[in-house]
Amino acid sequence: AAGEFGPRQVRLERLDERAALVFGHVLEADSVAAAQVERLAAGVGVRAHHGVLGFDLVGGVGVVDLHAGDVVAFIPDVEEPDVVMDYSILYEDQYFFVVNKGGHLPCHPAGPFFRNTLWYDMSQKYGKVFIVNRLDRETSGLMLFARNESTQAALQQNWKKVTKRYLGIVEGTPSNAQGTLKHNLAESKSLMVHRVDKGGELAITHYRVLRRHRDKSLLELTLETGRKNQIRVQLAALGHPIVGDRKYAARTDPARRL
């Protein structure tokens, strides 16, 4: 079962559930007497970090007690891909942080990334933090991190009232100086987001051309919805992918980033 930070996690909703870790796979079993995690694979250890029970390949066997609502995460002790840990705190108070995230930095654990993420680095420096909004690994921009779950919930409940505006450099120039892109988007098993005629989730992006320079244009992009890879997929469908976005049909990559 997928948890908040990726497919290698499971949230226990009842005290009679048990999650067993077998060679990196989290399995759920019903009808057990106690809420426990049995480390069945040799060489797997368990630790607690900011309220998240995590497994590391550090050796040892045993059982750790859990409670309803705990999140269990399998965290393999392997070398993660390099990232650029580039971010700055623009504002902070007793409730939340406003963070300026650079490109080449995952905002949360997923796939091969756990420690090399913005969330993990901030949790090491500031204690337990909660992600309010997310950005693609390659995308730079502002993110909010709450200091507690109640603040996170309040911000996310009102997130639709927030204007989400981005700047992007695209290949070529759209034929219209401004417009609205509407598509239904779905994600494939290979993790590529694409347009679909039926099903999927509606994505709406408003764009405006701010500047043209040779074979590229600077666009202002305002989101009405917030789907995964929304801007990237819709601009590629328009025939003007974001410069450097090799995943979605870009032909040029002068800065080696989006």
Side-chain angles (χ1 to χ4, degrees), residues 5-251:
F5 299 120
R8 287 175 290 191
Q9 300 191 341
V10 61
R11 182 179 293 276
L12 301 182
E13 301 294 349
R14 304 190 310 274
L15 286 176
D16 64 346
E17 288 182 335
R18 178 174 62 180
L21 179 70
V22 185
F23 299 112
H25 296 283
V26 175
L27 309 176
E28 289 185 80
D30 296 325
S31 302
V32 289
Q36 298 175 329
V37 169
E38 295 185 7
R39 286 166 285 161
L40 303 179
V44 175
V46 67
R47 64 182 176 81
H49 174 71
H50 296 314
V52 176
L53 293 174
F55 294 92
D56 283 310
L57 302 180
V58 295
V61 295
V63 175
V64 60
D65 292 334
L66 292 178
H67 302 90
D70 283 349
V71 175
V72 179
F74 172 62
I75 308 167
D77 189 18
V78 296
E79 185 175 353
E80 299 179 22
D82 291 334
V83 302
V84 179
M85 195 59 68
D86 175 25
Y87 70 92
S88 58
I89 307 297
L90 301 184
Y91 174 82
E92 67 174 292
D93 60 22
Q94 65 203 54
Y95 300 108
F96 63 87
F97 299 89
V98 178
V99 181
N100 186 22
K101 184 186 90 69
H104 296 301
L105 177 60
C107 66
H108 62 87
F113 299 99
F114 187 85
R115 296 175 181 86
N116 288 349
T117 63
L118 176 56
W119 168 82
Y120 185 84
D121 198 75
M122 287 196 59
S123 69
Q124 296 299 295
K125 295 177 179 177
Y126 302 102
K128 197 169 185 179
V129 294
F130 301 84
I131 294 175
V132 176
N133 68 305
R134 307 185 185 203
L135 292 176
D136 292 344
R137 173 167 55 92
E138 305 88 345
T139 303
S140 61
L142 301 184
M143 290 185 60
L144 268 63
F145 284 80
R147 288 184 180 269
N148 53 66
E149 289 184 283
S150 60
T151 299
Q152 179 195 38
L155 289 171
Q156 289 182 335
Q157 288 170 5
N158 291 280
W159 196 242
K160 289 185 178 180
K161 300 178 182 178
V162 178
T163 299
K164 279 78 72 177
R165 186 168 292 130
Y166 298 79
L167 296 175
I169 299 175
V170 302
E171 296 180 348
T173 301
S175 56
N176 296 320
Q178 59 184 23
T180 297
L181 307 174
K182 291 185 179 181
H183 303 100
N184 285 350
L185 303 182
E187 186 173 11
S188 68
K189 292 182 179 180
S190 62
L191 304 183
M192 289 286 290
V193 179
H194 56 94
R195 294 176 297 162
V196 293
D197 294 327
K198 295 182 180 180
E201 294 182 305
L202 178 62
I204 304 175
T205 302
H206 306 283
Y207 73 88
R208 183 165 64 97
V209 178
L210 299 180
R211 189 178 305 171
R212 301 175 178 84
H213 181 70
R214 297 181 181 176
D215 58 346
K216 299 177 180 63
S217 301
L218 175 66
L219 270 57
E220 178 187 81
L221 303 144
T222 303
L223 298 188
E224 194 168 318
T225 59
R227 311 305 181 198
K228 180 178 179 179
N229 295 172
Q230 172 175 325
I231 292 174
R232 300 163 64 183
V233 174
Q234 291 191 302
L235 289 177
L238 187 64
H240 301 284
I242 294 177
V243 171
D245 193 0
R246 297 289 191 180
K247 183 176 180 179
Y248 293 109
R251 299 183 300 275

